[in-house]
Amino acid sequence: MARISPAYLLLFICFFFFFPSSSYAYFNVSSSDKDLLEFPLNLEYLEAEFFLWGSFGYGLDRIAPYLTNGGPPPIGVTKANLDPFVKDIMVQFAFQEIGHLRAIKEAVPGFPRPLLDLSKGSFAKVMDEAVGHTLTPPFDPYANGLNFLLASYVIPYVGLTGYVGASPKLTHSQSRRLVAGLLSVEAAQDAIIRALLYERANVKVQPYGITVAEFTNRISELRNRLGHSGIKDEGIIVPPLSGAEGKTGGNIVVGNDKSIAYERTPKEILRIVYGNGDEHKPGGFYPKGGDGRIAKSYLQESGSST
């Protein structure tokens, strides 16, 4: 029997323990699992670019170009005027999103980065829709740390509700394991954003005279309207009877009446991120729509194309 060299054995052990993501690599899953694992790439690309550009003034094309698969660069995104504390947090988020992209793409083939509109105008439109009138001057997510946090409030929560919705539909244990891991970090990001905003809940966002808490309430209400599936979103302060166990108005971590996370379907998510309540009509952050079989199937139903 051939003898295995101790050096080769040590190398194998190190590889096994220090590169666990390789266990995800193109595992054999059903087509439905593949679709559900690929769909979140739409949101992960958006988060990665927003956090990277806001922190550094450049994105995936410079830091991890291999992850874009030749997809077009985002529109209008720029470096934000962040204080050191907020920047430090956003840098951490940015690199976490790169990890998420790698994890998904090691599990399924994925698709190139879709065209993303992360311009000031795109966020200004969301905020105008949320508050019910045109803000003057237009909301600028890159103007300061507070604005960037409010813009960040718009993003990770939508993705995490998608992971909650996808989890029970997955058939493969490795698929569920991957989604559970992604969900945990996305939920933590959302809780951190909400906690930072909660600390400033009564601060008025200048020059609009609208409090931080009211902004979050209005954004959550907008997402509920666009999703067309009832209440699955709440701001950082709610009436006490709507808080955890009907005992508190503080709402740093959002959940239903049993404090269980809300879930959304891909259809609901597309309605929200397209900004028009219609999964068949590209728009909002995705001028040409999302990618992957699920998103494309809705575009094809309406005759649109990516």
Side-chain angles (χ1 to χ4, degrees), residues 7-303:
Y8 281 113
L9 182 59
L10 179 60
L11 181 63
F12 174 79
I13 293 171
C14 289
F15 183 86
F16 182 82
F17 282 103
F18 290 99
F19 295 91
S21 63
S22 63
S23 64
Y24 290 133
Y26 289 94
F27 48 80
N28 185 25
V29 297
S30 64
S31 59
S32 61
D33 271 21
K34 175 178 174 290
D35 292 339
L36 289 170
L37 292 176
E38 282 191 330
F39 179 79
L41 283 173
N42 289 295
L43 279 296
E44 299 290 359
Y45 274 125
L46 188 154
E47 293 175 44
E49 293 290 9
F50 184 63
F51 293 139
L52 283 170
W53 274 92
S55 301
F56 300 115
Y58 47 83
L60 288 171
D61 286 313
R62 179 164 170 179
I63 293 183
Y66 63 95
L67 289 174
T68 70
N69 292 113
I75 299 169
V77 65
T78 188
K79 186 175 182 180
N81 183 24
L82 304 178
D83 61 81
F85 179 68
V86 172
K87 180 178 179 179
D88 181 34
I89 291 172
M90 296 305 162
V91 166
Q92 294 178 53
F93 286 3
F95 285 114
Q96 289 165 5
E97 296 308 328
I98 290 176
H100 290 180
L101 289 169
R102 286 196 301 109
I104 295 172
K105 284 174 170 282
E106 288 174 4
V108 292
F111 48 78
R113 174 183 55 195
L115 181 63
L116 301 168
D117 184 352
L118 297 174
S119 64
K120 299 175 185 178
S122 185
F123 281 95
K125 184 177 180 180
V126 171
M127 296 304 183
D128 288 350
E129 290 289 333
V131 301
H133 63 268
T134 301
L135 294 172
T136 305
F139 181 87
D140 180 357
Y142 306 108
N144 53 63
L146 182 56
N147 280 21
F148 196 79
L149 284 171
L150 284 168
S152 299
Y153 179 88
V154 174
I155 301 171
Y157 179 73
V158 178
L160 80 87
T161 58
Y163 284 131
V164 176
S167 182
K169 298 175 183 176
L170 296 167
T171 59
H172 197 286
S173 61
Q174 285 181 284
S175 301
R176 293 192 294 271
R177 174 188 167 204
L178 174 56
V179 165
L182 293 164
L183 171 59
S184 296
V185 175
E186 292 289 337
Q189 289 179 354
D190 183 63
I192 290 168
I193 292 167
R194 293 175 71 96
L196 291 172
L197 292 172
Y198 186 73
E199 184 181 26
R200 302 164 174 81
N202 296 317
V203 172
K204 290 187 176 180
V205 180
Q206 298 302 325
Y208 312 117
I210 302 172
T211 66
V212 168
E214 186 60 20
F215 256 109
T216 67
N217 290 339
R218 296 293 186 89
I219 293 167
S220 289
E221 289 169 1
L222 173 63
R223 291 190 296 213
N224 284 329
R225 292 199 304 273
L226 293 174
H228 303 311
S229 296
I231 296 175
K232 296 188 176 182
D233 217 310
E234 297 170 338
I236 58 174
I237 293 181
V238 295
L241 288 177
S242 298
E245 295 301 297
K247 303 293 185 182
T248 175
N251 202 39
I252 290 178
V253 178
V254 65
N256 64 17
D257 60 346
K258 296 181 178 66
S259 292
I260 303 299
Y262 291 105
E263 61 182 66
R264 284 191 171 108
T265 64
K267 182 185 296 187
E268 294 169 54
I269 290 171
L270 292 172
R271 291 169 181 167
I272 294 168
V273 298
Y274 288 173
N276 52 38
D278 187 348
E279 66 274 19
H280 304 97
K281 185 179 178 182
F285 297 121
Y286 299 84
K288 293 187 176 181
D291 207 337
R293 194 199 66 80
I294 293 176
K296 283 184 172 180
S297 69
Y298 294 119
L299 296 176
Q300 289 164 358
E301 286 177 10
S302 66

